[in-house]
């Protein structure tokens, strides 16, 4: 059974049919790519999957559980975490605190214990700190832990966003153009990191990407979107050789 | 590595507490110089508490509130009424005053919760509009309230004293526009210092806790906060309620400095709310330390400068501008960062020793 099972998903904005009859099966542990030209509706699919938008029709199942129409908070609790195409970090907080905020729902003490620094506050904060540092180390951000997130260079901001998403302990990780704005070196490094995450956290990853080298390098399967509809779906190599895809993608 | 950060935060807080104590010492000395200035010591503590608590809403949560004086007003009248009525039942002044402070905080906190509940669900600057209206409504409502008690209990009316229908032995507590009369004057500067420290302690520790991080996450990016499972309304309400409750605490404390208080425009109206906001903005949005300093200087200055007679407001205006530059110009910020780092460094041996002691104590290792 697929970890993520999407059937007949659709949404309209006014007269614009942004996503139409979208379906997708992502198996556990898979690295899956969602590609397509600008404005094809890829980010909209992510927004539908994470509950930012409510679909007009369709069903989304995560691990067999129907999560259609739930709020983005509930969907995060159900096990989907994401990053954003235009990075959304907590800019005025430290790198470490950004990850700790990702850990928010996994560690609990109440407001009173927090304000008066009771033993449980100390104990839980210590655990959060350790967990957060563990994640920062995966992304080699431990040296910058006290920096404000907005002071990080671009590539590291993207990594921090992934670390924060992973902190929520998701079953499925959605990455929206993680390599956007990176140079080839950084992109290559990011590819390694994504592979590493999958191994280390046994993670299932669905990613949107424009960089064909990255996509063909790490994705096992692809779905190509064009004008809100699926153009082609299947194994990466086959999809990339499909003449229609080449035409739509390279704009010939 | 890990400890370094904790202590870094701790050192910064320690500096804040140090600055507060230093300011209090200066205030105390200023207070010795004249009777007028002495009279400002309690109100200035209330102002500091108001500025710090408003900073929780404006700087930490990132929502604009234009009715902070309204919450203070609730605390003032609830606290004062409680004390007057309870004077017969609770003979121990300290206990009664403590309860009055609690009542002030609680009632303002509940009000903050009730206002925040519908408004904070909305995205946008609705809180500013609603709190602006709330501040004015509360002030006007209190000017219409008549409250008294006699042997048969409390009496309440919205018309006049006569319609309270008090018995011979009756006492009027709140008399419409003439305000509340007969409050025991339990407040003093010492208690003021303690309450300022308590307010700062609560706000700073909240900021450094799990809840505080969630509140600041919402301020920085709501969509991202939701994407990691943070309930926006819950934490907005939490911050706003605590902020209102602390304003109520300040209000009740303020009330017990005067035998009689009226809900006038200058005391509790729009002017006052804006004044508190000015403290917060000039002290630096989000900077607790800044709020303390700005509230102290700007509240005391007109009185301290009284000897300059007609030049007083001119100097006041210049101070406002200088403070704004000092808070917001990049050069001044860089300078402050350097000074702070120096200060922290000097404090390091001290905190290290303290930490060693306390951690040794916890693990039972000792030295
Ligand atoms: N909230 C919205 N309101 C109106 N139109 C939207 C909204 N979000 C996306 N769209 C439209 O949907 C289409 C797909 O956008 P998007 O999913 O961002 O494309 P991309 O594949 O580049 O990520 C675009 O035409 C965009 O303008
Ligand atoms: Mg997009």
């Amino acid at each position: 059974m697929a970890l993520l099972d999407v059937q007949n998903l659709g949404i309209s904005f006014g007269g614009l049919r942004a996503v139409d009859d979208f379906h997708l099966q992502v198996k556990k542990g898979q690295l899956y790519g969602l590609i397509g030209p600008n404005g094809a509706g890829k980010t909209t699919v992510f927004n539908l999957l994470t509950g930012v938008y409510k679909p007009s029709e369709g069903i989304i199942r995560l691990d067999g559980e129907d999560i259609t129409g739930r709020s983005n908070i509930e969907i995060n609790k159900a096990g989907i975490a994401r990053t954003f195409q235009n990075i959304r970090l907590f800019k005025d907080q430290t790198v470490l605190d950004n990850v700790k905020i990702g850990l928010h729902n996994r560690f609990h003490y109440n407001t009173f214990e927090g304000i008066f620094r009771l033993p449980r506050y100390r104990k839980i904060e210590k655990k959060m700190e350790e967990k957060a540092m563990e994640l920062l180390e995966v992304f080699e951000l431990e040296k910058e832990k006290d920096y404000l997130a907005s002071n990080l260079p671009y590539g590291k901001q993207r990594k921090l966003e992934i670390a924060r998403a992973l902190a929520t302990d998701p079953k499925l990780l959605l990455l929206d153009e993680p390599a956007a704005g990176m140079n080839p070196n950084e992109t290559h490094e990011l590819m390694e990191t994504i592979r590493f995450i999958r191994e280390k956290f046994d993670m299932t990853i669905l990613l949107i990407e424009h960089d064909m080298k990255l996509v063909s390098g790490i994705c096992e399967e692809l779905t190509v979107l064009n004008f809100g509809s699926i153009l082609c779906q299947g194994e990466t190599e086959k999809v990339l050789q499909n003449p229609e895809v080449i035409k739509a993608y390279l704009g010939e | 590595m890990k400890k370094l950060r904790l202590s870094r935060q701790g050192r910064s807080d320690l500096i804040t507490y140090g600055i507060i104590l230093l300011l209090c010492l200066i205030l105390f000395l200023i207070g010795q110089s004249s009777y007028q200035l002495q009279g400002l010591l309690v109100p200035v503590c209330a102002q500091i508490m108001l500025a710090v608590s408003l900073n929780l809403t404006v700087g930490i949560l990132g929502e604009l509130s234009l009715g902070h004086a309204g919450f203070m007003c609730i605390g003032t009248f609830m606290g004062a009424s409680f004390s007057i009525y309870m004077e017969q039942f609770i003979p121990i002044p300290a206990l009664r005053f403590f309860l009055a402070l609690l009542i002030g905080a609680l009632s303002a906190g509940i009000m903050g919760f009730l206002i925040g509940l519908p408004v904070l669900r909305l995205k946008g600057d609705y809180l500013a509009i609603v709190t602006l209206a709330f501040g004015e409504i509360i002030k006007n409502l209190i000017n219409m309230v008549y409250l008294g008690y006699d042997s048969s209990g409390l009496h309440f009316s919205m018309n006049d004293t006569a319609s309270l229908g008090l018995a011979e032995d009756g006492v009027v507590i709140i008399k419409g526009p003439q305000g509340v009369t007969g409050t025991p004057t339990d407040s003093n500067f010492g208690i003021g210092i303690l309450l300022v420290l308590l307010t700062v302690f609560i706000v700073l520790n909240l900021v450094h806790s799990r809840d505080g991080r969630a509140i600041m996450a919402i301020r920085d990016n709501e969509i991202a906060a939701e994407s990691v499972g943070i309930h926006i309304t819950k934490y907005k309400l939490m911050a706003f309620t605590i902020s209102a409750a602390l304003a109520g605490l300040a209000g009740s404390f303020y009330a017990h400095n005067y035998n009689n208080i009226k809900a006038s425009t200058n005391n509790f109206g729009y002017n006052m709310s804006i004044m508190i906001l000015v403290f917060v903005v000039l002290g630096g949005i989000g900077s607790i330390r800044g709020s303390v300093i700005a509230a102290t200087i700007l509240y005391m200055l007109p009185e301290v400068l009284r000897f300059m007679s007609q030049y007083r407001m001119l100097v006041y205006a210049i101070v406002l501008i200088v403070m704004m530059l000092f808070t917001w110009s990049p050069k001044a910020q860089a300078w402050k960062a350097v000074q702070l780092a120096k200060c922290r460094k000097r404090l390091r041996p001290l905190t290290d020793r303290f930490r060693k002691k306390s951690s040794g104590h916890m693990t039972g290792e000792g030295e």
Side-chain angles (χ1 to χ4, degrees):
Chain A
M1 189 187 60
L3 177 77
L4 178 71
D5 178 19
V6 181
Q7 301 288 345
N8 183 33
L9 196 67
I11 190 171
S12 306
F13 297 113
L16 177 77
R17 192 74 184 148
V19 174
D20 186 44
D21 191 21
F22 181 84
H23 50 88
L24 179 71
Q25 275 79 36
V26 183
K27 289 190 273 299
K28 192 163 180 351
Q30 209 170 15
L31 240 166
Y32 201 110
L34 183 58
I35 64 171
N38 266 330
K42 306 179 297 293
T43 299
T44 306
V45 167
F46 271 22
N47 284 335
L48 288 167
L49 293 179
T50 52
V52 175
Y53 300 149
K54 302 270 171 287
S56 343
E57 61 272 313
I59 297 178
I60 305 165
R61 282 198 201 83
L62 182 73
D63 223 356
E65 190 185 354
D66 186 350
I67 57 167
T68 323
R70 290 199 194 168
S71 74
N72 46 359
I73 294 167
E74 288 170 282
I75 287 180
N76 178 260
K77 282 183 184 162
I80 301 183
R82 72 175 293 184
T83 65
F84 297 87
Q85 183 174 347
N86 45 343
I87 305 175
R88 289 178 181 275
L89 287 170
F90 306 123
K91 291 199 280 292
D92 289 337
Q93 301 197 62
T94 62
V95 168
L96 182 63
D97 280 349
N98 266 269
V99 180
K100 279 188 181 174
I101 292 165
L103 294 169
H104 187 83
N105 282 328
R106 294 169 63 194
F107 294 87
H108 295 268
Y109 57 82
N110 64 39
T111 312
F112 187 82
E113 288 167 325
I115 289 177
F116 292 96
R117 309 222 159 151
L118 301 184
R120 206 151 78 101
Y121 160 87
R122 290 171 198 279
K123 201 178 109 196
I124 304 282
E125 277 292 319
K126 198 168 164 230
K127 273 194 197 156
M128 285 178 102
E129 181 116 5
E130 282 164 10
K131 192 82 208 163
M133 285 310 291
E134 232 173 73
L135 277 163
L136 286 181
E137 271 157 33
V138 170
F139 293 91
E140 291 168 356
L141 285 167
E142 70 273 18
K143 283 201 191 71
E144 287 95 342
K145 74 188 171 75
D146 287 331
Y147 286 30
L148 287 186
S150 53
N151 291 346
L152 283 183
Y154 191 79
K156 294 199 169 185
Q157 292 198 8
R158 287 240 172 249
K159 285 184 173 178
L160 176 57
E161 218 189 8
I162 301 176
R164 182 184 69 191
L166 282 175
T168 66
D169 195 22
K171 294 173 185 163
L172 174 68
L173 181 64
L174 309 183
L175 305 176
D176 197 342
E177 303 200 16
M182 287 186 176
N183 62 34
N185 265 340
E186 288 175 316
T187 304
H188 183 79
E189 200 189 318
L190 180 78
M191 264 170 77
E192 296 302 318
T193 314
I194 292 175
R195 270 207 201 94
F196 178 73
I197 296 168
R198 183 189 30 189
E199 300 306 321
K200 180 167 165 76
F201 299 93
D202 199 14
M203 190 56 59
T204 312
I205 299 172
L206 172 60
L207 64 87
I208 296 175
E209 194 41 74
H210 276 303
D211 191 300
M212 276 307 135
K213 235 167 90 194
L214 188 142
V215 169
S216 56
I218 60 175
C219 293
E220 287 133 17
E221 277 188 56
L222 289 183
T223 290
V224 187
L225 265 187
N226 201 15
F227 296 115
S229 310
I230 293 177
L231 190 68
C232 181
Q233 200 166 47
E235 280 171 35
T236 302
E237 271 157 49
K238 282 186 190 147
V239 169
L240 289 181
Q241 278 156 16
N242 184 318
E244 262 188 284
V245 172
I246 294 171
K247 197 170 137 212
Y249 218 82
L250 302 178
E252 283 163 346
Chain B
M1 279 314 272
K2 187 190 75 207
K3 278 191 171 167
L4 201 107
R5 202 192 90 87
L6 271 179
S7 60
R8 183 189 156 95
Q9 206 174 63
R11 270 197 290 275
S12 172
D13 287 3
L14 210 63
I15 292 171
T16 304
Y17 293 120
I19 288 176
I20 293 173
L21 291 177
L22 190 70
L23 278 177
C24 287
L25 182 68
I26 295 172
L27 282 172
F28 176 77
L29 294 175
I30 291 176
Q32 299 300 309
S33 68
S34 84
Y35 188 70
Q36 260 88 4
L37 288 171
Q38 176 114 47
L40 289 183
L41 292 185
V42 166
V44 77
C45 289
Q47 301 292 326
I48 296 172
M49 291 162 73
L50 287 166
V52 170
S53 59
L54 182 62
N55 210 344
L56 178 56
T57 297
V58 176
I60 309 300
L61 176 62
E63 293 274 341
L64 189 55
S65 165
L66 297 175
H68 210 54
F71 296 113
M72 180 201 186
C73 188
I74 292 177
T76 298
F77 282 84
M78 289 300 286
S81 304
F82 174 85
S83 280
I84 296 170
Y85 182 57
M86 283 295 166
E87 240 178 332
Q88 43 183 335
F89 302 114
I90 310 176
I92 310 164
L95 176 66
R96 189 191 57 223
F97 185 35
F98 175 75
L99 290 175
L101 291 174
L102 212 61
I103 296 272
L106 221 59
S107 48
I110 291 171
M111 200 49 149
F113 181 81
L114 292 177
I115 289 176
L117 198 58
V119 178
L120 290 171
R121 285 169 192 277
L122 307 171
K123 295 201 163 89
D125 285 334
Y126 294 99
L127 190 72
I129 299 163
V130 172
T131 48
L132 176 63
F134 158 76
E136 291 303 293
I137 291 171
I138 273 295
K139 188 196 75 195
N140 290 324
L141 263 183
I142 285 184
N143 276 313
M144 288 158 63
V145 165
Y146 292 82
L147 182 73
Y149 72 90
D150 57 20
S151 43
S152 65
L154 281 169
H155 295 251
F156 174 84
S157 159
M158 297 291 276
N159 298 326
D160 48 38
T161 322
S163 50
L164 281 176
L166 291 174
E168 284 289 287
D169 61 341
V171 175
V172 182
I173 302 174
I174 302 179
K175 214 184 209 173
Q178 280 158 292
V180 59
T181 309
T183 319
T185 48
D186 296 323
S187 292
N188 60 44
F189 187 45
I191 295 173
I193 296 172
L194 287 180
L195 290 180
V196 165
L197 287 173
L198 176 72
T199 305
V200 171
F201 177 85
I202 289 176
V203 173
L204 281 181
N205 284 6
L206 178 72
V207 166
H208 298 322
S209 77
R210 176 176 170 271
D211 295 327
R213 285 192 298 262
I215 292 166
M216 291 186 289
I218 294 167
R219 171 195 69 190
D220 286 353
N221 202 314
E222 277 193 32
I223 294 175
E226 277 184 327
S227 85
V228 293
I230 288 172
H231 284 276
I232 305 290
T233 312
K234 176 184 162 185
Y235 286 101
K236 280 189 174 178
L237 256 182
M238 177 188 286
F240 189 62
T241 303
I242 294 176
S243 164
L246 292 174
L249 178 70
S252 184
F253 168 70
Y254 182 72
H256 290 76
N257 192 42
Y258 304 98
N259 187 263
N260 169 266
I261 283 191
K262 299 179 189 66
S264 70
T265 312
N266 282 338
N267 260 349
F268 298 109
Y270 179 67
N271 288 352
M272 183 65 196
S273 294
I274 294 300
M275 198 63 213
I276 306 168
L277 190 62
V278 168
F279 297 158
V280 171
V281 173
L282 287 192
I285 292 174
S287 160
I288 302 305
R289 191 185 301 152
S291 291
V292 174
I293 298 172
T296 311
I297 294 179
L298 294 180
Y299 188 76
M300 296 302 287
L301 207 60
E303 214 40 58
V304 172
L305 294 180
R306 198 166 275 284
F307 70 93
M308 292 185 169
S309 55
Q310 71 261 47
Y311 299 111
R312 187 162 67 125
M313 287 333 271
L314 181 70
V315 175
Y316 191 72
I318 291 173
V319 170
L320 280 181
I321 294 169
V322 169
M323 260 177 99
M324 192 164 72
L325 290 176
F326 184 72
T327 307
W328 293 107
S329 92
K331 261 192 192 152
Q333 277 172 348
W335 181 82
K336 272 188 292 185
V338 171
Q339 294 306 312
L340 187 65
K342 267 191 204 162
C343 215
R344 277 212 201 99
K345 216 176 199 172
R346 241 173 261 156
L347 272 172
R348 187 168 292 163
L350 198 116
T351 43
D352 277 352
R353 202 177 315 148
F354 178 72
R355 188 158 3 90
K356 234 183 245 162
K357 238 184 225 168
S358 61
S359 68
H361 181 74
M362 268 192 294
T363 53
E365 282 164 4
E367 274 174 274

